[in-house]
Amino acid sequence: MYYDPVETMDRNKLEKLQLVRLKETIANAKATPFYAEQLADISPEDLTSIKDISRLPFTTKDDLRSQYPYGMLTRSLDDFVRLHASSGTTGTPTAVFYTQKDLDTWADLMARCMFACGCRKSDVLQNMSGYGLFTGGLGIHYGSERLGMLTVPAGAGNTKRQIKLIRDFNVSVLHIIPSFALYFAQKVQEEGFDVRDMPWQIALIGAEPHTEEARRKIEKMMHIKAYNSYGLSEMNGPGVAFECTYQNGMHVWEDSYIVEIINPKTGKHVEEGEIGELVMTTLTREGMPIIRYRTRDLTRFVPGQCQCGRTHRRIDRIAGRADDMMILKGVNIYPMQIEQCLMSMPEVGQNYLIELVTEGVTDQLKVKVEIKDEYFVEDMRVLQGLQKRIAKNLCNEILLTPRVELCQHDSIPKNEGKAVRVMDSRKK
Amino acid sequence: MYYDPVETMDRNKLEKLQLVRLKETIANAKATPFYAEQLADISPEDLTSIKDISRLPFTTKDDLRSQYPYGMLTRSLDDFVRLHASSGTTGTPTAVFYTQKDLDTWADLMARCMFACGCRKSDVLQNMSGYGLFTGGLGIHYGSERLGMLTVPAGAGNTKRQIKLIRDFNVSVLHIIPSFALYFAQKVQEEGFDVRDMPWQIALIGAEPHTEEARRKIEKMMHIKAYNSYGLSEMNGPGVAFECTYQNGMHVWEDSYIVEIINPKTGKHVEEGEIGELVMTTLTREGMPIIRYRTRDLTRFVPGQCQCGRTHRRIDRIAGRADDMMILKGVNIYPMQIEQCLMSMPEVGQNYLIELVTEGVTDQLKVKVEIKDEYFVEDMRVLQGLQKRIAKNLCNEILLTPRVELCQHDSIPKNEGKAVRVMDSRKK
């Protein structure tokens, strides 16, 4: 079962469709002040194959900033009905504008995503993320209504009310931020409910990168199937790529986006299957086309064909951000590597904190780790042994030995929103 | 200029349309468990004139509660795509369900409202109310997009970012909660901006009852035109009635609602122009029709024809809620009477608090009033004179003399959300 026949389109046809749409996109983009200049020497007819995309220049976050607010628009402001802007009261934000047709396209893509992981018209979806300028809220909301699900716009926070709504309305699908999911599962238990009695079946978890281990933990603690989602406001928001029921990589909708993975230093395509920076081009956005956008997100193509029958390629879960990369003593470290390693150990609880500090003249990596109550024993030797094992496992992963500090369950502060995982207080 | 030709429809035709739709509504409502019983003895053909509506039974909030969650629905849950529910984690809430067609109808009504007060496709609307289960957020949002305005889903809070968005995107229309508007105007000044330099022109203020004086104050402090709005989730949400540019009562869209005003004690229609409880019947809602709903809101029909040319009748601003009515020493008092009186005095600042307390064996009314800085002088006699004048003015309005306490600007706590105006700590 597919939401749209395009999902199983033969790849040759799909690439032909991409080429047609890429040409249209270039012609359309030339109506913007920014691309009129960037693409001055390029004519749509120059492209004879989808591979020719590598002849086009990249677009960066800084380009979007420099064009703020209206430099990326193909038409008069009158034709737009929505904008989302990055948060922040200082510095230059970025803004994304949508025509009514763009909102329709986005809602359809989002509905396609949710259908792919098993959501149906008869489901009830509770949207537990904040609304407002964050694209995750309204993005999921419009997609859910488009698919015909009964949509409960609960918004963020108020755990007790969330639980009541879920039980009262037999909510079968949750949209929930991964770092909140574990906290929520715990609260449900504290309120005296058994997660196995809750009506939910599917969790859509996106908005934050997380590891496979974190997903399995959410699935186990909530007694739910959790599906990973990928999106960014520059490419509409959520709805760019989504897992199907095989949970083995996220299908990118290639009729709407051209996806490339490049070496962030050289700008060249990496070998198939290698990790690199995701670069995306919109193919169906009329108001604000973006060409070869450097997402700064690190991922790889999942090799092979998916069992679900969809022909659109899959990307792996995000392995960190090019910007998040920490360099310590000459070693490149991604916070996701540390999370992945910690979450694979049964003794480790739900929360941890990575700290980068300067001691004397050298920088140090410290990792605070919450240990589950049942493993937090009084015998110091046992704890020291655990501490050493964690340090060793981390060293195997990141190639340097951090200072590990064990702490008790709930001793690292957490928010109902996104979790803070890294504190960098190094002296520059 | 009208959004929909129906706005100026000849009243005879309009009433014929109402009768047709009322009959359809009754037939449709009989598909629900609740109305199947309530309307067992009534057949659509029994009604020969719109006046016959008085033969139908009322529907109350308690009825909605007793039917929670699905007893008011005309069709299978599969056909619904949205629900809004009253807040609260205890007690039985009420829930309102929408089909896709209902959402479309609602968005059109909302767009019609905004058009009536001067909003156009070329405007930029910033939605400064919270989203989520509160119908004001998504209601205004969908209507704004439907009208074709560029919509900024700012959500509530974060004053500095609100100001930045307004300035960056030339926001011409604000949707703002009245009690937040005055606070916001002050913050804008504190941030060093002149309200006259702000791009805004229109404020949509609803969600809270407020007085004409409060509106004038908002208009003056913000240098804006403020339009009053009426709605309730049981009737979709906002979009039920709205002021046109003449600012003289709110047009109720009579092609979508039948409006009655009754004496809350007798249930009979009041005389034309008299204050009473607003009773509403949906005429265009397919999923959850509601017949003769007792809103508990007090208002009156504004007599005469509006200069704008719209034929749909106008209701006056809400004069309080039947439930808000306080009875003290046998006298009925509405908080709005006190607000109206206070706000007409130039010395009075933006905030006040009504307290009902028991002293000994008698109940007392105390009113704390913030005085503007320039009137808060050191001369005690002047202040005592002011205090007496306030008490006397209040007595003229509510027929008993409250104890008045003057306090300085900003000494009564206020929230970014809805203001708390009444504290009842009487012993029962």
Side-chain angles (χ1 to χ4, degrees), chain B residues 94-159:
Chain B
T94 55
V96 182
F97 294 76
Y98 309 73
T99 65
Q100 183 57 54
K101 183 162 171 277
D102 290 333
L103 288 185
D104 283 336
T105 308
W106 182 18
D108 271 328
L109 286 174
M110 197 65 250
R112 193 197 288 185
C113 289
M114 297 194 276
F115 193 94
C117 75
C119 300
R120 294 294 179 272
K121 185 178 158 46
S122 55
D123 278 303
V124 182
L125 177 140
Q126 185 153 316
N127 192 1
M128 298 173 66
S129 83
Y131 280 68
L133 291 168
F134 167 56
T135 51
L138 286 166
I140 292 282
H141 180 93
Y142 274 60
S144 174
E145 288 184 358
R146 179 61 55 99
L147 183 50
M149 291 195 276
L150 177 61
T151 308
V152 186
N158 202 336
T159 308

Side-chain angles (χ1 to χ4, degrees), chain A residues 312-325:
Chain A
H312 298 235
R313 278 186 294 181
R314 290 162 295 161
I315 53 170
D316 208 348
R317 56 180 63 251
I318 302 306
R321 282 183 67 76
D323 315 314
D324 285 350
M325 191 178 74

Side-chain angles (χ1 to χ4, degrees), chain A residues 68-70 78 80-83 87 103 121-122 131-133 138 141-142 145 149-151 153 161 168-169, chain B residues 68-70 78 80-83 87 103 121-122 131-133 141-142 145 149-151 153 161 168-169:
Chain A
Y68 180 86
Y70 307 128
D78 272 23
F80 291 88
V81 297
R82 172 91 66 82
L83 79 79
S87 54
L103 289 186
K121 185 178 159 48
S122 55
Y131 279 69
L133 291 167
L138 286 167
H141 180 93
Y142 275 60
E145 288 184 357
M149 291 194 276
L150 177 61
T151 308
R161 192 170 75 174
D168 283 4
F169 299 114
Chain B
Y68 180 87
Y70 307 129
D78 273 25
F80 290 88
V81 297
R82 173 93 63 83
L83 78 80
S87 55
L103 288 185
K121 185 178 158 46
S122 55
Y131 280 68
L133 291 168
H141 180 93
Y142 274 60
E145 288 184 358
M149 291 195 276
L150 177 61
T151 308
R161 192 171 75 175
D168 283 5
F169 298 113

Side-chain angles (χ1 to χ4, degrees), chain B residues 209-210 275-276 296-300 316-322 324 333-337 340:
Chain B
H210 56 279
I275 284 189
R296 312 299 290 156
D297 286 323
L298 301 170
T299 186
R300 62 179 189 106
D316 207 348
R317 57 179 63 250
I318 302 305
R321 281 183 68 73
D324 285 349
I333 305 170
Y334 295 108
M336 290 298 282
Q337 295 176 284
Q340 196 146 4

Side-chain angles (χ1 to χ4, degrees), chain B residues 149-187:
Chain B
M149 291 195 276
L150 177 61
T151 308
V152 186
N158 202 336
T159 308
K160 280 192 188 181
R161 192 171 75 175
Q162 300 273 8
I163 297 170
K164 179 164 171 57
L165 291 165
I166 289 166
R167 297 181 72 237
D168 283 5
F169 298 113
N170 273 305
V171 170
S172 51
V173 183
L174 305 178
H175 174 227
I176 188 166
I177 289 174
S179 62
F180 183 57
L182 295 171
Y183 171 83
F184 186 65
Q186 199 177 310
K187 282 286 170 190

Side-chain angles (χ1 to χ4, degrees), chain B residues 210-236:
Chain B
H210 56 279
T211 60
E212 182 61 27
E213 285 70 23
R215 183 241 294 270
R216 293 297 165 210
K217 203 171 224 173
I218 290 169
E219 292 196 321
K220 199 174 157 205
M221 276 191 71
M222 296 191 69
H223 197 72
I224 204 165
K225 281 298 240 185
Y227 295 95
N228 195 6
S229 151
Y230 177 72
L232 64 165
S233 61
E234 294 86 342
M235 297 287 126
N236 287 336

